[in-house]
Amino acid sequence: MMMGELWQQMGSVMATIVFVYTVFEKFFPPNLRDRVQSYTHKLTSHFYPYIQITFPEFTGERLKRSEAYTCIQTYLSANSSHTAKRLKAEVVRDSQKPLVLSMDDNEEITDDFNGVKVWWAASKTSTNSQPFSFSYYPPPDAKRYYKLTFHKSHRDLITLSYIHYVLQEGKEIASKNRQLKLYTNNPSSGWYGYKSTKWSHVIFEHPASFETLAMEEKKKEEIIKDLEKFKGGKEYYAKIGKAWKRGYLLYGPPGTGKSTMIAAMANFMNYDLYDLELTAVKDNTELRKLLIETPSKSIIVIEDIDCSLDLTGQRKKKKKEKEEDEDQKDPMKRAQEEENKGSKVTLSGLLNFIDGIWSACGGERIIIFTTNFIDKLDPALIRRGRMDKHIELSYCGFEAFKVLAKNYLDVETHGLFPVIERKLVETDMTPADVAENLMPKSVDEGVEDCLLNLIKALEIAKEEEAVKKAQEEARKKEEEDEKEVKDKEVKNNEKASEDVKENGFH
């Protein structure tokens, strides 16, 4: 009987509280309600030992999605949401994990930082919601936010360290999960207008990695360590007063793996690729604008730079010859040529793009040039400080062959390996050609068949090299003989001329 009376009293109290709250919400003016709530919070704060921080989903006058909210959502989804009982699924674009699970509204989870326990809650508010009005669907103007609760004795640890840690971890997790993109620059005629951009992109799905790259292990390790040092070098670059960027020059014959190396670097660093086509850039100003549009954690690539523009001869052509050529042209024709001329990017503009003041805009950038003929490039373009590391990708050696054999045939050793090793020393063959000969052409071809195909190809290449070398030597000998004959004729003519002068003088 006593228990029944207790429940009746509790029911009466709860009904009274609900009635008073309803009257307060409906009939009290908003200003008075706010003042009462303010004093209530002040009163309870003396007895409530916890601090709460809210992180709204949208901030600013234009209500942009908060970067802090996104980072917290990513962090909680990866680290703590496995403890939540109610989850919601969201489809995320441009991510390796398109379906992301996060805690649902009005759900709470705990996290631990240096032995300190904190609570995260996902909540939402609605400005137009009526008291005690229920609906299956959330109101359209619902504002979501995360609420962090912690004991006030840990204020400094949470505000100075923990929140920064959560935001950084959220960024790192998002960076690892995102899909890489391959960008190319659009012509400047399409830069302006609705949804127009300077760069267009596709998803980058190249499978290349350093593990499958045909290269000597020592050289491979050297490149990997260099990239790792750069990636973690933010404080070091700031300390030495240098922009956080690094240049790589990849050079070697066609088919030696320069493009594959770039793809492996992008996958290893988890950076987006920006393939810059110089012939589509009108002038140095546009080049600078494209640079500004590239974000951090990106690799800017200019392939076959010796063929992209006539940059190699701009500093070699004599000013006098240039002026004479211009003077000989008709003024109308000269004006038309200037109008129809493609790119006006100069070597000076490209140098400023790589190493000028504007190159310091943004950080954590890699610039890569590739060329088949390094001797054609202007020394100012590839000096240290612009192209910091020069990487030669040459013909296939035995170590590179073993990587290719493992990739294509899944074999690490074979009785024919010593024969191939000897022939690779005698013959120049690119990794692309070696890979083509190792690839099975039918389901009937086995490991030995493919290795024999490579040996045969190396023998043919050696014979072709010998023939080519003989032809080259014959051509040189013929040129030398012709030169010798001409020199003799010149000497004979000079001697005859001297004899005539002497006889005429006497």
Side-chain angles (χ1 to χ4, degrees):
M1 191 70 179
M2 292 288 295
M3 184 63 68
E5 292 179 357
L6 180 61
W7 281 109
Q8 287 181 0
Q9 291 177 0
M10 289 182 63
S12 300
V13 171
M14 292 296 297
T16 303
I17 292 174
V18 170
F19 174 76
V20 170
Y21 180 78
T22 304
V23 172
F24 177 75
E25 285 288 332
K26 280 198 171 186
F27 300 107
F28 278 57
N31 293 337
L32 182 59
R33 288 205 308 268
D34 293 340
R35 188 173 292 275
V36 171
Q37 290 175 351
S38 174
Y39 282 116
T40 304
H41 286 312
K42 288 181 180 180
L43 180 63
T44 56
S45 64
H46 290 289
F47 306 99
Y48 188 67
Y50 293 96
I51 297 173
Q52 295 179 339
I53 302 176
T54 59
F55 300 88
E57 183 178 10
F58 296 97
T59 58
E61 295 180 357
R62 297 185 179 182
L63 293 180
K64 291 184 178 180
R65 186 176 174 87
S66 169
E67 184 179 356
Y69 182 92
T70 304
C71 292
I72 293 169
Q73 185 180 44
T74 305
Y75 171 80
L76 294 177
S77 298
N79 293 284
S80 304
S81 291
H82 59 277
T83 61
K85 295 182 179 179
R86 291 186 296 113
L87 300 170
K88 61 181 178 181
E90 294 179 314
V91 177
V92 181
R93 294 180 58 188
D94 300 331
S95 174
Q96 296 180 10
K97 299 178 180 179
L99 189 65
V100 177
L101 298 177
S102 58
M103 59 180 182
D104 201 0
D105 295 331
N106 301 318
E107 181 72 1
E108 184 178 87
I109 58 176
T110 60
D111 193 19
D112 183 86
F113 182 71
N114 292 346
V116 176
K117 189 176 182 181
V118 298
W119 293 265
W120 284 100
S123 306
K124 67 176 185 292
T125 58
S126 177
T127 55
N128 295 331
S129 59
Q130 296 295 329
F132 304 106
S133 62
F134 297 95
S135 173
Y136 181 78
Y137 298 101
D141 59 342
K143 296 180 180 179
R144 288 181 169 82
Y145 61 91
Y146 283 110
K147 182 170 64 177
L148 172 64
T149 304
F150 56 92
H151 197 278
K152 61 183 180 181
S153 61
H154 306 301
R155 177 192 289 267
D156 290 341
L157 176 67
I158 301 301
T159 57
L160 299 179
S161 301
Y162 176 67
I163 295 176
H164 177 73
Y165 165 78
V166 169
L167 297 180
Q168 287 298 116
E169 281 292 301
K171 288 180 182 178
E172 288 295 326
I173 294 169
S175 178
K176 291 177 182 177
N177 291 339
R178 71 186 179 89
Q179 283 186 316
L180 297 184
K181 296 172 186 173
L182 172 62
Y183 290 83
T184 186
N185 52 304
N186 298 320
S188 57
S189 57
W191 286 7
Y192 308 101
Y194 181 64
K195 290 188 177 180
S196 298
T197 58
K198 295 178 177 64
W199 297 91
S200 56
H201 73 271
V202 295
I203 299 300
F204 181 71
E205 297 178 322
H206 201 295
S209 66
F210 279 103
E211 288 76 14
T212 60
L213 196 63
M215 179 183 283
E216 296 84 354
E217 283 299 323
K218 185 178 180 181
K219 197 171 185 178
K220 199 184 295 187
E221 285 296 323
E222 180 185 337
I223 297 170
I224 290 173
K225 289 179 180 178
D226 190 86
L227 291 170
E228 289 175 338
K229 177 68 176 176
F230 170 78
K231 192 171 187 178
K234 182 178 181 180
E235 294 180 359
Y236 176 76
Y237 277 83
K239 177 184 175 182
I240 63 176
K242 187 177 179 182
W244 191 14
K245 63 180 182 60
R246 190 156 178 81
Y248 293 85
L249 175 67
L250 310 183
Y251 66 96
T256 51
K258 293 184 286 294
S259 298
T260 307
M261 167 68 78
I262 294 170
M265 292 171 76
N267 286 326
F268 179 77
M269 300 292 283
N270 201 37
Y271 287 1
D272 289 330
L273 275 174
Y274 286 78
D275 184 16
L276 180 58
E277 179 55 58
L278 284 179
T279 55
V281 184
K282 280 190 175 181
D283 51 35
N284 297 335
T285 303
E286 287 189 1
L287 185 64
R288 192 180 304 123
K289 290 179 180 178
L290 287 168
L291 174 66
I292 295 171
E293 289 291 322
T294 57
S296 301
K297 297 183 182 294
S298 60
I299 299 177
I300 303 172
V301 180
I302 304 179
E303 292 197 275
D304 297 321
I305 191 169
D306 53 301
C307 304
S308 297
L309 290 175
D310 185 19
L311 297 171
T312 56
Q314 288 180 1
R315 289 156 61 101
K316 298 177 182 178
K317 190 169 183 180
K318 293 181 180 179
K319 184 177 180 181
K320 184 177 179 181
E321 293 177 357
K322 186 175 180 181
E323 290 175 352
E324 288 176 356
D325 293 341
E326 292 295 326
D327 291 339
Q328 291 175 2
K329 291 180 182 178
D330 181 71
M332 295 294 293
K333 186 177 180 181
R334 187 166 53 207
Q336 187 175 0
E337 285 183 1
E338 285 293 325
E339 185 177 352
N340 296 332
K341 187 178 178 182
S343 178
K344 296 179 184 177
V345 174
T346 64
L347 180 60
S348 174
L350 187 59
L351 296 179
N352 288 328
F353 172 84
I354 302 168
D355 197 33
I357 296 175
W358 288 94
S359 67
C361 298
E364 203 171 352
R365 261 199 216 109
I366 291 175
I367 301 175
I368 300 178
F369 289 168
T370 72
T371 180
N372 297 331
F373 308 100
I374 189 173
D375 296 335
K376 289 186 177 181
L377 298 179
D378 192 298
L381 189 64
I382 59 175
R383 69 162 174 79
R384 307 293 178 176
R386 287 180 177 139
M387 293 293 103
D388 304 284
K389 189 171 183 62
H390 296 189
I391 302 173
E392 182 181 8
L393 299 171
S394 189
Y395 295 104
C396 188
F398 184 62
E399 286 191 38
F401 157 75
K402 288 194 292 185
V403 175
L404 292 173
K406 175 66 176 174
N407 294 343
Y408 284 83
L409 303 175
D410 198 21
V411 60
E412 295 183 2
T413 183
H414 194 275
L416 294 173
F417 274 22
V419 180
I420 294 173
E421 182 179 9
R422 186 175 65 254
K423 292 191 176 296
L424 284 173
V425 174
E426 300 170 351
T427 310
D428 290 337
M429 181 174 281
T430 64
D433 290 332
V434 172
E436 179 60 28
N437 285 286
L438 287 176
M439 183 180 292
K441 305 301 187 295
S442 69
V443 293
D444 299 327
E445 285 190 340
V447 173
E448 188 166 340
D449 296 323
C450 295
L451 294 176
L452 289 172
N453 289 340
L454 176 59
I455 292 173
K456 185 178 179 180
L458 286 167
E459 291 173 348
I460 294 173
K462 184 179 179 181
E463 292 174 1
E464 291 177 350
E465 280 184 15
V467 172
K468 187 177 179 181
K469 186 177 181 181
Q471 291 175 346
E472 185 69 21
E473 289 177 354
R475 185 183 63 80
K476 285 182 178 180
K477 190 175 185 306
E478 185 179 349
E479 289 177 354
E480 289 174 359
D481 292 341
E482 289 179 0
K483 187 175 183 298
E484 187 177 349
V485 170
K486 288 181 180 180
D487 289 343
K488 285 183 179 180
E489 289 179 356
V490 171
K491 287 181 180 180
N492 291 335
N493 291 336
E494 288 177 353
K495 186 177 181 183
S497 177
E498 288 177 0
D499 291 341
V500 170
K501 287 181 179 180
E502 289 178 0
N503 293 333
F505 180 77
H506 290 294

